[in-house]
Amino acid sequence: MELAIRNGIVFNGKEIIGKTNIYVREGKIVEVSREDHSAKMEIDAKDMFVMPGLIDAHIHLSGIKGGSLLKIMFEKPEYRVLRAAKWLEKLLLAGFTTVRDCGETVSLALKRALNDGIIGGPKVIAAGKPITQTFGHGELSHDVPLEFSKTMSFSEFCDGMESCIHAARKVLRDGADFIKIFATGGVLSQRDRPEHPQLSYEEIRAIVNEAEKVNTYVAAHAHGDRGARIAIEAGVKTLEHGTLLKDETLKLMKEKNVTLTPTLTIQELIFKYGKQIGVDEWGLQKITSVRENIANVVRKAKEYGVTIISGTDLGFETGLEEIDMGKNWMETVLLVERGGLSPIEALRASTYNAAMAIGINAGVIEIGKDADIIIINGDPTLNVREISKITHVVKNGKLTVENKSIKG
Ligand SMILES: [Zn+2]
């Protein structure tokens, strides 16, 4: 064996399996048992909490500072990417072994640099440019001239079926692992409203079709119920935000096996600290209603058996004590404290459920899975806030974080 993690109290991504040893060879988990085998490297977990590495299934590696997203247009990508590379280190230190970037041009370069071993950090699953309609959420500002918006925005524009097919093929050609679309207005865009549907059924269906041809899927940003429903009927697989979903739509999600990423962290952040961190005026005006309603939506989603996954939607550095890039376990905490999930359900949302939804071979401590494992000096099933007490991070079978520092 190459690596043994002994004597930990193991949560395997689904349930607590008690005191167990985990053995790793060639980056994969090869045995989970009470047996004793020797290994080249040994970690004694000393009755600490051992679980799969955390997953943030909705992040934006934009590399901007402060709450005004317009900086994506006004700061050069070659500078933003350097800051985002630092975020990846912070995320690894915080116990994240995979993040899914839900729309950002520089994330594709970051993913490549990670895979080539040039920089360190969690695995990155990336959408590249998200797809927006004209006068859509992906424009952020609707006052700048349209031509400027098309050139400088982080989004790919499409209007009409032909144009949507082209946009989908273009982002896939750029290297997207999945396709992100905006199916309603949003909070941080200027003049659309969260309840406005965006893109038509035919347009979304055309994008889903292109994704499915290359064995991937579409993730849809959707707040309002009508736009969300159109996206679900058109075949998207993960629904992001879902703040204004009605019961019938949640039942349809269960039926069609569409997962919900409630992104409680970004809403809490804008609601509590928006003004302080410089969120644009329109964002401050729109946050209250969506933030208020999402707590009920999560409770209802749980009741109807919809799979809930953990994603912060953090996309900028705040410098705040409570919520900032690198404290992304806050979503797990909020799923319990605001969403009414049990700690075990929130841990599942942050590991196994997220891994299944985004299609990675991790998120669970079972034979054949990637050895992405963390050790916590605390018990997050008793107090979910103890999830922040990470002592070790193993990624692909390699010890990459020990006692708050990155190795190698
Ligand atoms: Zn987002």
Side-chain angles (χ1 to χ4, degrees), residues 193-219:
R193 299 212 45 93
E195 57 272 26
H196 292 168
Q198 294 183 352
L199 296 171
S200 66
Y201 172 86
E202 290 73 20
E203 287 170 321
I204 299 175
R205 185 64 223 150
I207 296 167
V208 168
N209 193 38
E210 292 306 315
E212 286 176 350
K213 280 199 265 182
V214 294
N215 297 321
T216 189
Y217 65 93
V218 175

Side-chain angles (χ1 to χ4, degrees), residues 58 60 180 241 313:
H58 189 135
H60 299 272
K180 168 75 182 294
H241 317 304
D313 200 12

Side-chain angles (χ1 to χ4, degrees), residues 98-271:
T98 302
V99 297
R100 181 179 67 157
D101 186 295
C102 279
E104 170 48 52
T105 45
V106 304
S107 61
L108 295 172
L110 287 164
K111 181 181 83 167
R112 193 166 161 190
L114 271 160
N115 292 345
D116 291 346
I118 298 168
I119 56 172
K123 298 169 198 170
V124 173
I125 308 290
K129 282 187 163 191
I131 294 179
T132 186
Q133 65 166 52
T134 298
F135 189 33
H137 177 61
E139 280 203 67
L140 302 177
S141 166
H142 302 116
D143 272 356
V144 300
L146 182 58
E147 283 319 308
F148 177 89
S149 184
K150 281 189 175 170
T151 326
M152 301 307 290
S153 134
F154 74 133
S155 302
E156 190 64 45
F157 283 61
C158 77
D159 297 286
M161 253 172 70
E162 295 294 312
S163 160
C164 284
I165 291 170
H166 181 67
R169 289 177 184 169
K170 206 165 159 210
V171 299
L172 291 168
R173 181 184 180 279
D174 284 343
D177 296 306
F178 67 102
I179 297 178
K180 168 75 182 294
I181 64 164
F182 297 116
T184 72
V187 173
L188 295 178
S189 45
Q190 188 175 17
R191 275 194 284 113
D192 53 4
R193 299 212 45 93
E195 57 272 26
H196 292 168
Q198 294 183 352
L199 296 171
S200 66
Y201 172 86
E202 290 73 20
E203 287 170 321
I204 299 175
R205 185 64 223 150
I207 296 167
V208 168
N209 193 38
E210 292 306 315
E212 286 176 350
K213 280 199 265 182
V214 294
N215 297 321
T216 189
Y217 65 93
V218 175
H221 154 112
H223 288 279
D225 190 69
R226 236 176 86 211
R229 213 180 161 87
I230 292 167
I232 294 160
E233 280 166 353
V236 307
K237 282 323 263 180
T238 72
L239 199 92
E240 312 301 312
H241 317 304
T243 55
L244 305 172
L245 295 181
K246 292 185 180 148
D247 290 23
E248 290 313 307
T249 306
L250 287 166
K251 287 179 193 165
L252 185 67
M253 285 175 73
K254 167 70 185 166
E255 200 184 299
K256 298 193 74 162
N257 197 22
V258 175
T259 60
L260 175 67
T261 325
T263 63
L264 302 171
T265 306
I266 192 74
Q267 292 157 42
E268 211 59 13
L269 172 64
I270 298 169
F271 181 75

Side-chain angles (χ1 to χ4, degrees), residues 336-349:
V336 174
E337 294 180 358
R338 288 210 74 232
L341 264 55
S342 72
I344 288 276
E345 287 167 338
L347 291 178
R348 230 177 257 147

